[in-house]
Amino acid sequence: MNIILVGIQGSGKGTQAKFLSKKFKLCHISTGNLLRNITGDRKKEIDSLINNGKLVPDKTILEILKERMIQDDCENGIILDGFPRNIEQAKLLEKELNIQKVIEIQISDQESEKRLMGRISCPKCGIDYNIYTAPKPQKEGFCDKCGSQLTRRKDDNEESIKKRIKTYHEETKPILNYYKNKLITVNGEQSIEDVSKEILKKISNSPL
Ligand code: ADP
C-alpha cells in the first residue's frame, strides 16, 4: 500500500505519518526531512530555497525521492509526507509509484500559522513539539527523549510561513482534485489520537 498525506503546513502530516508507518509497516518519507538532511554539492542551494519559503525544483526533488524509494525498507509500501506539492509532481510520481490512498488533513490557515509559530524541534532526534498546542515538552525547551535543547526551524519565521501557506493554496491544493477518487479528508483540529482514529476509520470504510 502506498499513501500520500496532504495538508497545509503544521496540519500534522509528520505526526500521522509516523503513526501510520508503524501501524501498517510502511516506510515514511518526508521530503522536507530528506532535503534538510542533504549533504554535498546540492546543500547550499537547497538550504537557501527552504529558508526563503520556496519550493525546490521538481526535477531535483524527484531525483532525491527516487534515491530514497529504492531502499529496502520501502518494499512493503510508502507513506509520502510533503510530496507531491503540485500537479507536475503528481504527474511525475504517477510514473514511479501506484498510489492507493490520499489522505488530506484539514486545518485552517489561522491554526496553521499558530502551530508554525509555536513549533520547536529536537535537532538530534527530529521530534517536533509545540509551545502553544501539543505535544509540549515535559521540561520547557528540552527534548523528552534525549534532553537536547529544542530549536526553531529557520523557515518557521513569519515571512516564510506566509509564503508557504500561499503556495499551499495556489499549487498544492489543486492536487486534491487530481486525486479525488482516492481522497479521504479528516479534521486535523482535534487531538492527535482522534485524528489517527478518524484516518483508520475512513481507510477501513473505503475500498482500495
Ligand atoms: P512545511 O510543510 O512546513 O513547509 P516541510 O518539512 O514539508 O515543511 O518542507 C520544508 C521545505 O522543503 C519546503 O518549504 C520546501 O522548500 C521543501 N520541500 C519539501 N517538499 C518539497 C517538494 N515536494 N517539492 C519542492 N520542495 C519541497
Side-chain angles (χ1 to χ4, degrees):
M1 177 160 67
N2 298 309
I3 298 176
I4 295 173
L5 282 178
V6 188
I8 201 163
Q9 283 69 19
S11 55
K13 296 188 297 289
T15 307
Q16 297 304 328
K18 280 188 196 116
F19 164 78
L20 291 168
S21 81
K22 247 194 188 160
K23 175 104 193 153
F24 296 112
K25 299 196 170 44
L26 302 173
C27 135
H28 169 201
I29 303 182
S30 150
T31 44
N33 286 343
L34 279 183
L35 291 168
R36 274 185 291 277
N37 292 329
I38 213 103
T39 51
D41 296 348
R42 297 183 285 199
K43 183 169 172 55
K44 210 170 147 205
E45 191 200 338
I46 288 177
D47 279 356
S48 152
L49 288 169
I50 292 184
N51 295 339
N52 285 303
K54 294 189 182 141
L55 290 185
V56 169
D58 296 338
K59 197 171 151 268
T60 313
I61 182 69
L62 189 75
E63 225 175 74
I64 295 168
L65 181 66
K66 273 163 78 176
E67 283 167 21
R68 178 67 188 89
M69 285 194 320
I70 54 167
Q71 288 172 23
D72 290 350
D73 61 333
C74 296
E75 258 174 20
N76 205 25
I78 295 173
I79 300 184
L80 282 173
D81 155 13
F83 191 96
R85 280 197 197 224
N86 56 36
I87 295 276
E88 188 52 35
Q89 291 184 3
K91 287 183 180 161
L92 290 170
L93 182 67
E94 209 164 285
K95 294 183 197 141
E96 308 294 332
L97 200 68
N98 197 3
I99 299 294
Q100 280 77 35
K101 288 271 172 267
V102 177
I103 302 169
E104 179 202 9
I105 308 178
Q106 253 181 2
I107 64 166
S108 67
D109 288 7
Q110 215 183 1
E111 180 68 15
S112 163
E113 276 185 53
K114 182 175 148 197
R115 290 188 187 179
L116 263 57
M117 290 307 286
R119 176 158 77 179
I120 41 176
S121 41
C122 176
K124 208 168 158 196
C125 39
I127 300 178
D128 278 335
Y129 299 88
N130 203 294
I131 55 174
Y132 300 134
T133 56
K136 288 193 172 112
Q138 275 161 9
K139 184 175 169 213
E140 205 183 303
F142 296 92
C143 179
D144 290 353
K145 195 174 161 201
C146 73
S148 299
Q149 190 154 15
L150 301 171
T151 54
R152 287 195 71 187
R153 264 169 51 176
K154 271 201 194 141
D155 59 341
D156 281 348
N157 61 70
E158 215 165 329
E159 197 189 333
S160 160
I161 290 171
K162 287 217 160 31
K163 251 194 233 167
R164 281 145 64 209
I165 290 180
K166 188 166 177 275
T167 306
Y168 178 79
H169 286 290
E170 290 175 358
E171 296 194 32
T172 309
K173 254 187 149 176
I175 71 171
L176 297 173
N177 188 46
Y178 184 85
Y179 288 122
K180 60 177 184 291
N181 298 331
K182 300 172 178 176
L183 188 66
I184 281 171
T185 299
V186 298
N187 172 15
E189 293 194 34
Q190 41 182 347
S191 73
I192 292 171
E193 293 75 23
D194 285 346
V195 177
S196 305
K197 275 190 209 154
E198 192 179 338
I199 293 176
L200 290 183
K201 194 168 148 214
K202 289 193 168 160
I203 287 185
S204 65
N205 283 347
S206 67
L208 285 179

